[in-house]
Short mmCIF file of all heavy atoms in Angstrom, two decimals:
data_model
loop_
_atom_site.label_atom_id
_atom_site.label_comp_id
_atom_site.label_asym_id
_atom_site.label_seq_id
_atom_site.Cartn_x
_atom_site.Cartn_y
_atom_site.Cartn_z
N ASP A 5 19.47 -22.12 -7.02
CA ASP A 5 18.08 -21.76 -6.73
C ASP A 5 17.89 -21.37 -5.27
O ASP A 5 16.97 -20.62 -4.94
CB ASP A 5 17.14 -22.91 -7.08
CG ASP A 5 17.07 -23.17 -8.57
OD1 ASP A 5 17.34 -22.24 -9.35
OD2 ASP A 5 16.77 -24.32 -8.95
N LYS A 6 18.71 -21.90 -4.39
CA LYS A 6 18.57 -21.66 -2.96
C LYS A 6 19.15 -20.30 -2.53
O LYS A 6 18.88 -19.84 -1.44
CB LYS A 6 19.25 -22.76 -2.15
CG LYS A 6 18.56 -24.10 -2.26
CD LYS A 6 19.28 -25.13 -1.44
CE LYS A 6 18.62 -26.48 -1.59
NZ LYS A 6 19.33 -27.51 -0.82
N GLN A 7 19.95 -19.69 -3.39
CA GLN A 7 20.55 -18.40 -3.06
C GLN A 7 19.47 -17.35 -2.91
O GLN A 7 18.50 -17.34 -3.65
CB GLN A 7 21.54 -17.97 -4.13
CG GLN A 7 22.77 -18.84 -4.19
CD GLN A 7 23.71 -18.42 -5.31
OE1 GLN A 7 23.40 -17.54 -6.08
NE2 GLN A 7 24.86 -19.05 -5.36
N ALA A 8 19.65 -16.50 -1.94
CA ALA A 8 18.67 -15.43 -1.71
C ALA A 8 18.66 -14.46 -2.88
O ALA A 8 19.71 -14.10 -3.42
CB ALA A 8 19.00 -14.68 -0.42
N ILE A 9 17.50 -14.05 -3.26
CA ILE A 9 17.34 -13.06 -4.31
C ILE A 9 17.48 -11.69 -3.67
O ILE A 9 16.83 -11.38 -2.68
CB ILE A 9 15.97 -13.20 -4.99
CG1 ILE A 9 15.86 -14.56 -5.66
CG2 ILE A 9 15.73 -12.07 -5.97
CD1 ILE A 9 14.48 -14.86 -6.22
N GLU A 10 18.36 -10.87 -4.27
CA GLU A 10 18.53 -9.52 -3.75
C GLU A 10 17.30 -8.69 -4.03
O GLU A 10 16.76 -8.73 -5.13
CB GLU A 10 19.74 -8.84 -4.40
CG GLU A 10 21.00 -9.02 -3.62
CD GLU A 10 22.11 -8.15 -4.16
OE1 GLU A 10 21.95 -6.90 -4.19
OE2 GLU A 10 23.13 -8.72 -4.55
N HIS A 11 16.84 -7.98 -3.03
CA HIS A 11 15.70 -7.10 -3.20
C HIS A 11 15.80 -5.95 -2.20
O HIS A 11 16.58 -6.00 -1.27
CB HIS A 11 14.38 -7.85 -3.02
CG HIS A 11 14.11 -8.27 -1.61
ND1 HIS A 11 14.70 -9.35 -1.02
CD2 HIS A 11 13.33 -7.71 -0.66
CE1 HIS A 11 14.28 -9.46 0.22
NE2 HIS A 11 13.45 -8.47 0.48
N GLU A 12 15.03 -4.97 -2.46
CA GLU A 12 15.00 -3.80 -1.59
C GLU A 12 13.56 -3.51 -1.22
O GLU A 12 12.68 -3.57 -2.06
CB GLU A 12 15.59 -2.61 -2.35
CG GLU A 12 16.01 -1.47 -1.47
CD GLU A 12 16.75 -0.41 -2.28
OE1 GLU A 12 17.72 -0.74 -2.96
OE2 GLU A 12 16.30 0.76 -2.22
N GLU A 13 13.31 -3.21 0.03
CA GLU A 13 11.97 -2.89 0.50
C GLU A 13 11.59 -1.50 0.00
O GLU A 13 12.34 -0.55 0.16
CB GLU A 13 11.93 -2.91 2.03
CG GLU A 13 10.56 -2.81 2.64
CD GLU A 13 9.76 -4.10 2.51
OE1 GLU A 13 10.35 -5.18 2.43
OE2 GLU A 13 8.52 -4.00 2.50
N GLY A 14 10.43 -1.39 -0.63
CA GLY A 14 9.96 -0.11 -1.12
C GLY A 14 9.43 0.76 0.00
O GLY A 14 9.05 0.27 1.07
N SER A 15 9.38 2.05 -0.25
CA SER A 15 8.90 3.00 0.75
C SER A 15 7.39 3.15 0.74
O SER A 15 6.81 3.75 1.62
CB SER A 15 9.52 4.38 0.48
OG SER A 15 8.98 4.93 -0.72
N GLY A 16 6.74 2.61 -0.31
CA GLY A 16 5.31 2.84 -0.49
C GLY A 16 5.05 3.95 -1.49
O GLY A 16 3.93 4.16 -1.92
N ASN A 17 6.09 4.68 -1.86
CA ASN A 17 6.00 5.75 -2.86
C ASN A 17 7.02 5.44 -3.94
O ASN A 17 8.21 5.71 -3.78
CB ASN A 17 6.25 7.11 -2.21
CG ASN A 17 6.18 8.25 -3.21
OD1 ASN A 17 6.26 8.07 -4.41
ND2 ASN A 17 6.05 9.46 -2.70
N VAL A 18 6.55 4.89 -5.05
CA VAL A 18 7.46 4.50 -6.13
C VAL A 18 8.24 5.69 -6.66
O VAL A 18 9.39 5.55 -7.07
CB VAL A 18 6.69 3.77 -7.25
CG1 VAL A 18 5.74 4.72 -7.97
CG2 VAL A 18 7.64 3.12 -8.24
N PHE A 19 7.66 6.88 -6.62
CA PHE A 19 8.34 8.07 -7.11
C PHE A 19 9.53 8.42 -6.22
O PHE A 19 10.58 8.83 -6.71
CB PHE A 19 7.36 9.25 -7.20
CG PHE A 19 6.18 8.95 -8.09
CD1 PHE A 19 4.94 8.68 -7.54
CD2 PHE A 19 6.31 8.92 -9.47
CE1 PHE A 19 3.85 8.39 -8.35
CE2 PHE A 19 5.23 8.63 -10.29
CZ PHE A 19 3.99 8.36 -9.73
N ALA A 20 9.39 8.25 -4.90
CA ALA A 20 10.50 8.47 -3.97
C ALA A 20 11.56 7.39 -4.17
O ALA A 20 12.76 7.67 -4.15
CB ALA A 20 10.00 8.47 -2.53
N ASP A 21 11.12 6.16 -4.37
CA ASP A 21 12.06 5.05 -4.58
C ASP A 21 12.90 5.28 -5.84
O ASP A 21 14.04 4.85 -5.90
CB ASP A 21 11.31 3.72 -4.69
CG ASP A 21 10.62 3.34 -3.39
OD1 ASP A 21 10.95 3.91 -2.33
OD2 ASP A 21 9.74 2.46 -3.44
N LEU A 22 12.32 5.97 -6.83
CA LEU A 22 13.05 6.29 -8.05
C LEU A 22 13.91 7.54 -7.90
O LEU A 22 14.64 7.90 -8.81
CB LEU A 22 12.07 6.49 -9.22
CG LEU A 22 11.34 5.22 -9.68
CD1 LEU A 22 10.24 5.58 -10.67
CD2 LEU A 22 12.32 4.23 -10.29
N GLY A 23 13.79 8.21 -6.75
CA GLY A 23 14.60 9.40 -6.48
C GLY A 23 14.12 10.65 -7.18
O GLY A 23 14.90 11.58 -7.38
N LEU A 24 12.84 10.70 -7.54
CA LEU A 24 12.31 11.88 -8.22
C LEU A 24 12.14 13.04 -7.24
O LEU A 24 11.77 12.85 -6.08
CB LEU A 24 10.98 11.55 -8.89
CG LEU A 24 11.07 10.46 -9.98
CD1 LEU A 24 9.71 10.18 -10.56
CD2 LEU A 24 12.04 10.87 -11.07
N GLU A 25 12.42 14.23 -7.72
CA GLU A 25 12.44 15.43 -6.87
C GLU A 25 11.11 15.72 -6.19
O GLU A 25 11.06 16.02 -5.01
CB GLU A 25 12.87 16.62 -7.73
CG GLU A 25 13.17 17.86 -6.92
CD GLU A 25 13.72 18.97 -7.80
OE1 GLU A 25 14.56 18.68 -8.67
OE2 GLU A 25 13.29 20.12 -7.62
N ASP A 26 10.01 15.68 -6.93
CA ASP A 26 8.69 15.99 -6.38
C ASP A 26 7.90 14.73 -6.08
O ASP A 26 6.71 14.64 -6.39
CB ASP A 26 7.91 16.88 -7.37
CG ASP A 26 8.59 18.21 -7.61
OD1 ASP A 26 9.25 18.70 -6.68
OD2 ASP A 26 8.47 18.74 -8.72
N ALA A 27 8.53 13.77 -5.44
CA ALA A 27 7.94 12.46 -5.24
C ALA A 27 6.61 12.50 -4.49
O ALA A 27 5.65 11.82 -4.88
CB ALA A 27 8.92 11.55 -4.50
N ASP A 28 6.51 13.29 -3.45
CA ASP A 28 5.27 13.34 -2.67
C ASP A 28 4.13 13.91 -3.50
O ASP A 28 3.00 13.40 -3.46
CB ASP A 28 5.45 14.17 -1.39
CG ASP A 28 6.28 13.44 -0.34
OD1 ASP A 28 6.28 12.20 -0.33
OD2 ASP A 28 6.93 14.12 0.46
N GLU A 29 4.40 14.96 -4.26
CA GLU A 29 3.38 15.57 -5.12
C GLU A 29 2.95 14.59 -6.22
O GLU A 29 1.76 14.44 -6.49
CB GLU A 29 3.91 16.86 -5.73
CG GLU A 29 2.99 17.50 -6.73
CD GLU A 29 1.70 18.08 -6.15
OE1 GLU A 29 1.62 18.29 -4.93
OE2 GLU A 29 0.76 18.30 -6.93
N LEU A 30 3.90 13.92 -6.83
CA LEU A 30 3.58 12.95 -7.88
C LEU A 30 2.75 11.80 -7.33
O LEU A 30 1.81 11.32 -7.97
CB LEU A 30 4.86 12.43 -8.53
CG LEU A 30 5.64 13.44 -9.37
CD1 LEU A 30 7.01 12.88 -9.74
CD2 LEU A 30 4.85 13.81 -10.62
N TYR A 31 3.10 11.36 -6.14
CA TYR A 31 2.36 10.27 -5.50
C TYR A 31 0.91 10.68 -5.20
O TYR A 31 -0.03 9.94 -5.47
CB TYR A 31 3.08 9.86 -4.22
CG TYR A 31 2.44 8.69 -3.50
CD1 TYR A 31 2.45 7.42 -4.05
CD2 TYR A 31 1.84 8.87 -2.25
CE1 TYR A 31 1.87 6.35 -3.39
CE2 TYR A 31 1.27 7.81 -1.59
CZ TYR A 31 1.29 6.55 -2.15
OH TYR A 31 0.71 5.49 -1.49
N ALA A 32 0.74 11.88 -4.67
CA ALA A 32 -0.60 12.37 -4.35
C ALA A 32 -1.44 12.49 -5.63
O ALA A 32 -2.60 12.08 -5.67
CB ALA A 32 -0.53 13.72 -3.63
N ARG A 33 -0.84 13.03 -6.68
CA ARG A 33 -1.58 13.17 -7.95
C ARG A 33 -1.92 11.81 -8.54
O ARG A 33 -3.01 11.64 -9.09
CB ARG A 33 -0.78 14.02 -8.93
CG ARG A 33 -0.77 15.46 -8.48
CD ARG A 33 -0.11 16.49 -9.33
NE ARG A 33 0.59 16.13 -10.52
CZ ARG A 33 1.64 16.77 -10.98
NH1 ARG A 33 2.12 17.81 -10.31
NH2 ARG A 33 2.22 16.43 -12.09
N ALA A 34 -1.03 10.85 -8.41
CA ALA A 34 -1.31 9.51 -8.92
C ALA A 34 -2.48 8.88 -8.17
O ALA A 34 -3.37 8.26 -8.77
CB ALA A 34 -0.07 8.62 -8.80
N GLN A 35 -2.52 9.06 -6.85
CA GLN A 35 -3.62 8.50 -6.06
C GLN A 35 -4.94 9.20 -6.41
O GLN A 35 -5.97 8.54 -6.58
CB GLN A 35 -3.34 8.64 -4.57
CG GLN A 35 -2.27 7.69 -4.08
CD GLN A 35 -2.11 7.79 -2.58
OE1 GLN A 35 -1.92 8.88 -2.04
NE2 GLN A 35 -2.19 6.67 -1.92
N LEU A 36 -4.93 10.51 -6.48
CA LEU A 36 -6.14 11.25 -6.83
C LEU A 36 -6.61 10.87 -8.23
O LEU A 36 -7.80 10.60 -8.45
CB LEU A 36 -5.90 12.76 -6.76
CG LEU A 36 -5.70 13.36 -5.38
CD1 LEU A 36 -5.20 14.78 -5.48
CD2 LEU A 36 -6.98 13.28 -4.57
N GLY A 37 -5.70 10.84 -9.17
CA GLY A 37 -6.04 10.49 -10.54
C GLY A 37 -6.60 9.09 -10.66
O GLY A 37 -7.58 8.85 -11.39
N PHE A 38 -6.03 8.15 -9.93
CA PHE A 38 -6.53 6.78 -9.94
C PHE A 38 -7.98 6.73 -9.50
O PHE A 38 -8.81 6.05 -10.11
CB PHE A 38 -5.68 5.89 -9.04
CG PHE A 38 -6.27 4.54 -8.82
CD1 PHE A 38 -6.22 3.58 -9.82
CD2 PHE A 38 -6.91 4.23 -7.62
CE1 PHE A 38 -6.79 2.32 -9.63
CE2 PHE A 38 -7.49 2.99 -7.43
CZ PHE A 38 -7.43 2.03 -8.43
N HIS A 39 -8.32 7.47 -8.47
CA HIS A 39 -9.69 7.45 -7.96
C HIS A 39 -10.66 8.19 -8.87
O HIS A 39 -11.81 7.78 -9.01
CB HIS A 39 -9.74 7.91 -6.51
CG HIS A 39 -9.18 6.87 -5.59
ND1 HIS A 39 -9.88 5.76 -5.21
CD2 HIS A 39 -7.96 6.72 -5.07
CE1 HIS A 39 -9.12 4.99 -4.46
NE2 HIS A 39 -7.95 5.55 -4.36
N VAL A 40 -10.20 9.25 -9.51
CA VAL A 40 -11.04 9.91 -10.52
C VAL A 40 -11.32 8.91 -11.64
O VAL A 40 -12.47 8.71 -12.05
CB VAL A 40 -10.35 11.18 -11.08
CG1 VAL A 40 -11.09 11.70 -12.31
CG2 VAL A 40 -10.26 12.26 -10.01
N HIS A 41 -10.28 8.25 -12.12
CA HIS A 41 -10.42 7.25 -13.19
C HIS A 41 -11.40 6.15 -12.79
O HIS A 41 -12.30 5.78 -13.56
CB HIS A 41 -9.04 6.66 -13.50
CG HIS A 41 -9.05 5.61 -14.55
ND1 HIS A 41 -9.29 4.29 -14.28
CD2 HIS A 41 -8.88 5.69 -15.90
CE1 HIS A 41 -9.25 3.60 -15.40
NE2 HIS A 41 -9.00 4.43 -16.40
N LYS A 42 -11.25 5.64 -11.58
CA LYS A 42 -12.11 4.56 -11.08
C LYS A 42 -13.58 5.00 -11.05
O LYS A 42 -14.47 4.24 -11.46
CB LYS A 42 -11.62 4.19 -9.67
CG LYS A 42 -12.20 2.94 -9.10
CD LYS A 42 -11.41 2.58 -7.85
CE LYS A 42 -12.32 2.22 -6.74
NZ LYS A 42 -11.64 1.86 -5.51
N LEU A 43 -13.83 6.21 -10.60
CA LEU A 43 -15.20 6.73 -10.55
C LEU A 43 -15.78 6.89 -11.96
O LEU A 43 -16.96 6.60 -12.19
CB LEU A 43 -15.25 8.07 -9.82
CG LEU A 43 -14.99 8.00 -8.30
CD1 LEU A 43 -14.63 9.37 -7.76
CD2 LEU A 43 -16.18 7.42 -7.59
N LEU A 44 -14.96 7.34 -12.89
CA LEU A 44 -15.43 7.53 -14.26
C LEU A 44 -15.72 6.19 -14.95
O LEU A 44 -16.73 6.05 -15.64
CB LEU A 44 -14.41 8.33 -15.08
CG LEU A 44 -14.26 9.79 -14.66
CD1 LEU A 44 -13.04 10.42 -15.32
CD2 LEU A 44 -15.54 10.57 -14.97
N VAL A 45 -14.87 5.22 -14.74
CA VAL A 45 -15.09 3.89 -15.33
C VAL A 45 -16.39 3.30 -14.80
O VAL A 45 -17.17 2.71 -15.57
CB VAL A 45 -13.88 2.97 -15.05
CG1 VAL A 45 -14.21 1.52 -15.38
CG2 VAL A 45 -12.66 3.43 -15.82
N ALA A 46 -16.65 3.48 -13.52
CA ALA A 46 -17.87 2.94 -12.92
C ALA A 46 -19.13 3.55 -13.53
O ALA A 46 -20.19 2.90 -13.54
CB ALA A 46 -17.86 3.17 -11.41
N ARG A 47 -19.02 4.76 -14.06
CA ARG A 47 -20.18 5.43 -14.66
C ARG A 47 -20.41 5.02 -16.12
O ARG A 47 -21.43 5.40 -16.71
CB ARG A 47 -20.03 6.94 -14.57
CG ARG A 47 -20.14 7.44 -13.14
CD ARG A 47 -20.19 8.93 -13.11
NE ARG A 47 -20.24 9.41 -11.73
CZ ARG A 47 -20.61 10.62 -11.40
NH1 ARG A 47 -20.96 11.49 -12.32
NH2 ARG A 47 -20.62 10.99 -10.14
N CYS A 48 -19.47 4.30 -16.71
CA CYS A 48 -19.59 3.82 -18.10
C CYS A 48 -19.92 4.95 -19.08
O CYS A 48 -20.79 4.80 -19.94
CB CYS A 48 -20.64 2.71 -18.19
SG CYS A 48 -20.29 1.29 -17.18
N LEU A 49 -19.22 6.07 -18.95
CA LEU A 49 -19.46 7.22 -19.81
C LEU A 49 -18.53 7.20 -21.02
O LEU A 49 -17.42 6.67 -20.96
CB LEU A 49 -19.21 8.52 -19.04
CG LEU A 49 -20.07 8.76 -17.80
CD1 LEU A 49 -19.55 9.98 -17.05
CD2 LEU A 49 -21.52 8.92 -18.18
#
Side-chain angles (χ1 to χ4, degrees):
D5 293 335
K6 292 180 182 178
Q7 292 178 356
I9 297 173
E10 267 190 59
H11 70 281
E12 198 173 306
E13 190 74 27
S15 69
N17 179 342
V18 67
F19 302 105
D21 295 344
L22 291 171
L24 298 179
E25 191 174 317
D26 298 329
D28 287 332
E29 174 69 17
L30 291 169
Y31 182 68
R33 289 183 357 212
Q35 288 185 307
L36 290 169
F38 170 76
H39 287 282
V40 169
H41 179 273
K42 191 168 134 180
L43 290 162
L44 292 169
V45 168
R47 291 188 182 197
C48 301
L49 300 171

